[in-house]
Amino acid sequence: KRNRRLEEAACSAGSVSPGEHKPAGEYERLLDAVRSDTHPDDVWLVRWSIEQATRLREATSLRWCDVDLTARTIRLSHTKTIHLAEERGPEIRPLMPGARALLREKLASFDAPPSPEDLIFDVGDERAFSVRYGRMVKRAGLHDLTFHDLRHTFATYAIAEGVDVKTVSDLLGHANASMTLDVYADALADSKRA
């Protein structure tokens, strides 16, 4: 299975505090390329994906009313298993500390509070963002790095920081921990060796 990750990522997965690691390597090169883009929310979206591990559709459909900063949860209506959301209602996932800090930072950047129905990441059409993202990856000199790989980066670093597989599974929205184990067994084995 494809499972590319950013090298030297500085995500604050698990118990790591935001900003505890200094960004370096591929992570910093990617953020530099994204910051130089003309769409200001692109950088917020890329940082969010590394901190929260949502899929592109989940992140681009997220509205301010879907976030509870106090309860530290997000409500996702557009998940990969949308048929379950239609049956059971939106999926509730924990809001990671780094993602929470990022949202607070984004809120502080506004002149006036956003409407609850406003999209958090105004990146336009998903396909257009994907094309821009591909160009940013090229500009950063990175190879074979999809947007979904940012999700893998989060999961790998969460496991390396000692977050248990069940919690990582919940954060990723996997149906069960065995699915997470199937995808991230190598990261789990590496974390046990360390």
Side-chain angles (χ1 to χ4, degrees):
K1 285 185 175 181
R2 178 181 167 72
N3 210 350
R4 165 89 156 84
R5 300 156 180 109
L6 277 174
E7 295 173 12
E8 301 176 45
C11 62
S12 49
S15 59
V16 181
S17 301
E20 187 172 314
H21 296 299
K22 295 281 184 219
E26 291 184 340
Y27 175 84
E28 188 58 36
R29 288 179 12 224
L30 177 61
L31 285 187
D32 285 346
V34 175
R35 284 185 191 114
S36 69
D37 195 67
T38 57
H39 295 83
D41 268 12
D42 287 0
V43 71
W44 292 110
L45 180 57
V46 168
R47 287 177 57 204
W48 166 265
S49 185
I50 293 169
E51 295 291 348
Q52 187 64 39
T54 52
R55 295 174 182 92
L56 181 57
R57 169 71 43 92
E58 294 169 348
T60 57
S61 63
L62 203 57
R63 299 181 184 281
W64 288 105
C65 61
D66 296 324
V67 175
D68 187 332
L69 292 171
T70 306
R72 297 181 172 147
T73 59
I74 57 173
R75 182 179 63 233
L76 299 168
S77 300
H78 294 88
T79 62
K80 184 177 179 180
T81 53
I82 195 160
H83 64 283
L84 293 177
E86 291 169 355
E87 292 172 18
R88 302 178 191 162
E91 186 176 320
I92 306 297
R93 291 190 198 159
L95 179 61
M96 293 303 296
R100 185 172 181 245
L102 180 135
L103 292 178
R104 287 185 186 272
E105 182 184 341
K106 189 169 190 335
L107 282 169
S109 73
F110 292 126
D111 293 331
S115 163
E117 292 303 317
D118 287 349
L119 290 171
I120 294 176
F121 306 107
D122 186 12
V123 295
D125 180 75
E126 217 175 281
R127 287 171 289 172
F129 169 79
S130 293
V131 169
R132 287 195 313 273
Y133 177 79
R135 289 180 183 147
M136 291 180 269
V137 166
K138 253 187 180 171
R139 194 168 46 246
L142 303 175
H143 302 286
D144 197 29
L145 183 73
T146 66
F147 187 83
H148 195 79
D149 292 331
L150 303 179
R151 180 175 161 85
H152 295 307
T153 298
F154 169 89
T156 301
Y157 280 87
I159 290 168
E161 292 294 329
V163 178
D164 65 275
V165 175
K166 174 65 174 127
T167 301
V168 173
S169 180
D170 291 345
L171 290 165
L172 295 173
H174 284 170
N176 52 56
S178 66
M179 181 178 176
T180 307
L181 279 171
D182 288 346
V183 177
Y184 299 104
D186 58 331
L188 186 58
D190 289 347
S191 73
K192 288 184 178 183
R193 281 192 288 271

